Amino acid sequence: MAQRRGMRRLAVLVLTLALVGGGVYTAVAFLQRSETLVAEGCTAVVGSQSAELATDQAVNASLITAVAVQRGLPPRAASIALATAMQESKLRNIGHGDQAGPDSRGLFQQRPSQGWGTEAQVMDPYYAANAFYDALVKIPGYESLEITDAAQRVQRSAYPGAYEEHEDMGRSFASGLSGQTPGAVQCTLRTPEDPGDPAAIAAELAQAYGALGMATEGQTLVVEASGGQAWSVAQWAVTNAKGFAVTKVDVDGRSWNRLTRDGWQDSEGVDGQVRITVAPLPVSAAG
């Protein structure tokens, strides 16, 4: 009899463990499925105007705008550049041209045969953005021109009116990514699968913005910046969060949290700093 009761208890224990294990598995499977349902993308909201970009397009938009910030150009220059790149390449660094320019390459579809540089150069997004701005600033009064007019004077496109379609997007993302409009740009992303590397972000920021005071605190990169530059760097970090496994950005009393997906929220941010936190290393690796 005692042996039979013991067997029953063992069976109940095994069943309980199986149910608990099944519940955990079900919960994990549910979380995994829910992550795949997250529609990733970035938005820029400035006043009543809103624009959307895919995450890879937003990365290129942040690069183009950062180059303008580094050069001390106004947000208007970035607006023109973003509208141009969207029309020419859909804000993607493509390695082919079209019928109008079979040797066109890169974000701005610049043609080596027209003196824009070598194929390797125009395929370098930083070179391409600088080449565009070099041409733009030579146009007298470009800041007061219509975006489509300024873009056409640089590109000399066969379809000059096409740039107009992307003016709102250019203005919205340029305003946010330049730091002119704090908190304008945010991205909805899935949870990162791999840890991030603050040093990799520091290297990319240095190329995008030039010399910045930066220090690492564990998995957080601390960037010394204030005002518009701080918000430019912060929103650059948000648009680059997917590739660098960024989980949180703190700036000027506001926070963007990748995991909560609730946009920019009030926080205990430190004035004069942008804090960019990345996904942690596994416990075994960290120890």
Side-chain angles (χ1 to χ4, degrees), residues 188-206:
T188 300
L189 303 170
R190 301 185 186 104
T191 302
E193 297 180 356
D194 300 307
D197 180 6
I201 299 176
E204 193 67 29
L205 276 174

Side-chain angles (χ1 to χ4, degrees), residues 224-235:
E224 301 297 330
S226 60
Q229 186 185 53
W231 274 104
S232 180
V233 169
Q235 292 176 102

Side-chain angles (χ1 to χ4, degrees), residues 31-185:
L31 290 173
Q32 290 174 336
R33 284 198 301 273
S34 65
E35 281 294 307
T36 62
L37 295 176
V38 173
E40 296 189 314
C42 298
T43 60
V45 179
V46 179
S48 61
Q49 189 170 284
S50 178
E52 298 182 5
L53 290 176
T55 54
D56 63 322
Q57 293 174 310
V59 168
N60 288 323
S62 72
L63 182 155
I64 291 169
T65 307
V67 172
V69 172
Q70 182 181 165
R71 294 174 61 126
L73 299 177
R76 182 68 170 183
S79 298
I80 297 167
L82 293 183
T84 301
M86 180 58 118
Q87 172 58 31
E88 298 292 352
S89 70
K90 299 301 180 187
L91 271 170
R92 293 185 168 105
N93 196 32
I94 56 179
H96 58 80
D98 53 29
Q99 292 182 349
D103 65 332
S104 301
R105 299 288 185 273
L107 288 171
F108 295 92
Q109 286 291 278
Q110 293 156 335
R111 300 182 63 183
S113 64
Q114 298 298 315
W116 284 101
T118 67
E119 181 173 339
Q121 285 175 325
V122 298
M123 282 298 296
D124 175 351
Y126 286 103
Y127 176 93
N130 273 298
F132 180 86
Y133 290 129
D134 286 344
L136 180 65
V137 298
K138 292 177 182 176
I139 300 171
Y142 76 86
E143 302 98 322
S144 60
L145 293 176
E146 292 292 330
I147 286 179
T148 186
D149 188 13
Q152 172 61 9
R153 293 196 190 189
V154 174
Q155 297 294 106
R156 302 187 183 280
S157 169
Y159 307 98
Y163 301 113
E164 185 176 1
E165 179 183 347
H166 311 294
E167 287 187 3
D168 288 348
M169 180 282 300
R171 289 194 188 96
S172 297
F173 274 93
S175 185
L177 292 170
S178 68
Q180 183 180 46
T181 304
V185 177

